[in-house]
Amino acid sequence: MSYRERIAFALFKTSYPEDIATTMTLEHMPVTRTPIDDHLVQEVDTRLDWEKKRHRYLKRADAALLELDAIATEADAKRQGESR
């Protein structure tokens, strides 16, 4: 899995409660069940949710990677300026 996809998946997992997110991997994507009332239960297949939203999270990962690159470039420039 690329760094980009790892970041995207980490961002995706934050949309779930911690107890569910900690068990999620690309190989293990649970179906969550949330009681709505006495007779209704909402089920979410997290694998389908990931497939549906993957492109959005990849865009966020791209933005994060670009920002990290800019931060690293600024830090390098600052270090080079200080060493002169």
Side-chain angles (χ1 to χ4, degrees), residues 66-79:
L66 286 172
E67 192 61 28
L68 285 171
D69 185 54
I71 290 168
T73 300
E74 290 169 12
D76 287 344
K78 184 177 179 182
R79 275 195 299 276

Side-chain angles (χ1 to χ4, degrees), residues 14-32:
T14 65
S15 63
Y16 286 91
E18 189 175 342
D19 62 322
I20 294 169
T22 56
T23 67
M24 292 171 72
T25 65
L26 288 177
E27 294 79 31
H28 173 73
M29 301 281 280
V31 173
T32 65

Side-chain angles (χ1 to χ4, degrees), residues 17-82:
E18 189 175 342
D19 62 322
I20 294 169
T22 56
T23 67
M24 292 171 72
T25 65
L26 288 177
E27 294 79 31
H28 173 73
M29 301 281 280
V31 173
T32 65
R33 291 173 179 84
T34 307
I36 297 173
D37 65 20
D38 291 339
H39 304 288
L40 293 174
V41 174
Q42 176 187 13
E43 289 189 351
V44 175
D45 184 337
T46 57
R47 182 171 304 282
L48 293 176
D49 196 29
W50 168 244
E51 289 174 11
K52 179 180 172 186
K53 297 176 181 174
R54 183 177 180 269
H55 69 281
R56 283 188 251 159
Y57 284 97
L58 287 170
K59 287 172 106 174
R60 292 176 184 168
D62 290 341
L65 288 167
L66 286 172
E67 192 61 28
L68 285 171
D69 185 54
I71 290 168
T73 300
E74 290 169 12
D76 287 344
K78 184 177 179 182
R79 275 195 299 276
Q80 288 177 3
E82 289 173 356

